[in-house]
Amino acid sequence: MNTPSALLPGGTWTLGDLTVTRFGYGAMQLAGSAVMGLPADHDGALAVLREAVGLGITHIDTAGAYGPRVTNQLIREALHPYPEALHIVTKVGAVRDQQGGWPPARRPEDLRRAVHENLEDLGLDALDVVNLRLGDAQGPRPGSLAEPFETLVELQQQGLVRLLGVSNATVEQVAEAQTIAPIVCVQNMYNLAHRHDDELIDDLAAEGIAYVPFYPLGGFTPLQSTALSAVATRLETTPMSVALAWLLQRSPNILLIPGTSSVAHLRENVVGAGLSLSDEELAELDKIGH
C-alpha cells in the first residue's frame, strides 16, 4: 500500500528551489558488504529504490564512492527516467581504495572527475545537490575548504550542479563555505547519542538551511541506551523508531536519510519516524546525549 508523500512523517523542506520530503532515503547500504562491490540481491536493491519512490519519498542520498559507483548505477537502473518530484543528492571529495578505506580526493581534477562520473552513472545532465565531503573516516578535520569548494562553484556556474552543500564539516568550514557561495544543506554525523552539532543545527534552522544527519541510528553500531529502550518499550515500538521520531521533532530543518537494503525495513522506518513523542519523552531522550 503506497503512502502519499503528504502523509510521510515530517512533511517537506525546501532546498534552494527544490522541495523534498523530510523523510528521505540513504542508498549507501545498497552496495555490497562494507559498501564495496555489487549487492548480494540485485533485484532486491532495485525493489527498495522503487518502494522508496512509491511511498512518496522525494529525497535520495547517494555518492559515487558507494560501491564505488554501484549505488548510482542501481538508482539509474531502478528509477530512470526520474519522476519530476524526485531529487538526488550526492557527495564528492572521497574515493574508495582497495582496502575499503575512504581516502580524500579533493583536488580540482578529482572533483571534476567525480561530478562527471556522477552525471554519467545517474544519467543526468545536471546534479540537483552536491555535497563536498570534508575530513576523513574518523570525522571532520580543521582546515580551509576554499580550493575544493571554489571548484564546485565553477562546476555550478557551468550548469553541471544546481545546488551545493558540505558534509563531515566543522562549524568553521560551514561558515567559510557560506562566504564563497550559498549552501542549502550540511550533512554531518548526528543522533541521540552524538549531539555535538546542536548549536549548529539551531543556527542553520534560523538561516533556512537543512541539516542532514548521517548515522541517524548509530551507523554500523546501533544506538544503545537504557533510556531509549525504556521509551520504546512504553510506546510498544522499537528503539530505532524512537530515534528517528526524535530527530524529526528535534528541529524542522532536519532531513532524515536512514538507509536499508530491505523493503520491509524501509516501511518500518517510515512508520516509526511518524511516532509523536510527548514533551516528557523528549526530555527523557534529551538526557542521552548530554
Side-chain angles (χ1 to χ4, degrees), residues 182-212:
I183 62 173
V184 298
C185 55
V186 174
Q187 189 179 104
N188 279 359
M189 181 177 177
Y190 181 84
N191 54 49
L192 263 172
H194 296 87
R195 303 282 299 277
H196 50 282
D197 272 353
D198 270 335
E199 185 175 349
L200 175 60
I201 289 171
D202 295 337
D203 290 344
L204 293 174
E207 298 176 56
I209 297 171
Y211 184 93
V212 188

Side-chain angles (χ1 to χ4, degrees), residues 13 21 24 53 55 64 79 110 128 133-134 138 162 164 175 186 264-265 279 286:
W13 180 266
T21 50
V53 172
L55 289 169
L79 302 175
D110 296 328
D128 282 335
R133 187 184 190 276
L134 299 160
Q138 281 67 54
R162 294 180 67 180
L164 297 174
V186 174
H265 188 212
D279 290 343
D286 278 341

Side-chain angles (χ1 to χ4, degrees), residues 9-285:
T12 61
W13 180 266
T14 301
L15 297 169
D17 59 347
L18 308 178
T19 298
V20 298
T21 50
R22 285 185 65 210
F23 189 97
Y25 171 70
M28 184 175 74
Q29 293 186 28
L30 293 183
S33 177
V35 203
M36 291 288 284
L38 299 174
D41 182 358
H42 177 268
D43 289 345
L46 300 183
V48 171
L49 288 162
R50 290 167 180 154
E51 179 69 9
V53 172
L55 289 169
I57 289 170
T58 63
H59 172 200
I60 293 180
D61 179 83
T62 185
Y66 299 163
R69 302 183 71 169
V70 169
T71 63
N72 283 352
Q73 292 166 2
L74 288 168
I75 290 168
R76 179 175 184 172
E77 182 179 355
L79 302 175
H80 195 278
Y82 303 111
E84 185 177 351
L86 179 65
H87 301 294
I88 299 171
V89 178
T90 189
K91 288 176 289 298
V92 296
V95 293
R96 304 304 304 280
D97 58 27
Q98 293 300 314
Q99 294 71 44
W102 303 81
R106 294 192 285 269
R107 296 175 304 174
E109 58 266 34
D110 296 328
L111 298 174
R112 294 188 189 104
R113 183 185 311 112
V115 164
H116 282 282
E117 287 179 351
N118 272 272
L119 289 167
E120 177 184 347
D121 292 340
L122 290 167
L124 292 168
D125 296 322
L127 300 170
D128 282 335
V129 184
V130 173
N131 285 316
L132 174 63
R133 187 184 190 276
L134 299 160
D136 56 31
Q138 281 67 54
R141 294 289 181 265
S144 174
L145 53 60
E147 183 182 50
F149 196 70
E150 286 168 357
T151 300
L152 289 186
V153 172
E154 291 173 9
L155 292 165
Q156 184 183 42
Q157 292 168 344
Q158 294 168 20
L160 301 178
V161 177
R162 294 180 67 180
L163 302 166
L164 297 174
V166 293
S167 176
N168 207 30
T170 66
V171 171
E172 292 76 18
Q173 288 163 341
V174 172
E176 184 184 15
Q178 291 177 282
T179 68
I180 299 170
I183 62 173
V184 298
C185 55
V186 174
Q187 189 179 104
N188 279 359
M189 181 177 177
Y190 181 84
N191 54 49
L192 263 172
H194 296 87
R195 303 282 299 277
H196 50 282
D197 272 353
D198 270 335
E199 185 175 349
L200 175 60
I201 289 171
D202 295 337
D203 290 344
L204 293 174
E207 298 176 56
I209 297 171
Y211 184 93
V212 188
F214 62 77
Y215 293 157
L217 300 177
F220 297 104
T221 304
L223 292 172
Q224 301 291 328
S225 162
T226 53
L228 179 59
S229 297
V231 171
T233 298
R234 288 201 305 272
L235 296 176
E236 298 182 340
T237 188
T238 66
M240 299 303 98
S241 293
V242 174
L244 289 174
W246 177 83
L247 282 167
L248 279 182
Q249 290 184 234
R250 163 66 183 81
S251 181
N253 67 322
I254 287 183
L255 311 185
L256 297 187
I257 50 167
T260 179
S261 57
S262 159
V263 168
H265 188 212
L266 172 63
R267 292 172 180 159
E268 290 171 5
N269 282 343
V270 171
V271 173
L275 288 173
S276 180
L277 302 173
S278 69
D279 290 343
E280 291 77 14
E281 288 155 352
L282 291 172
E284 188 173 351
L285 294 168

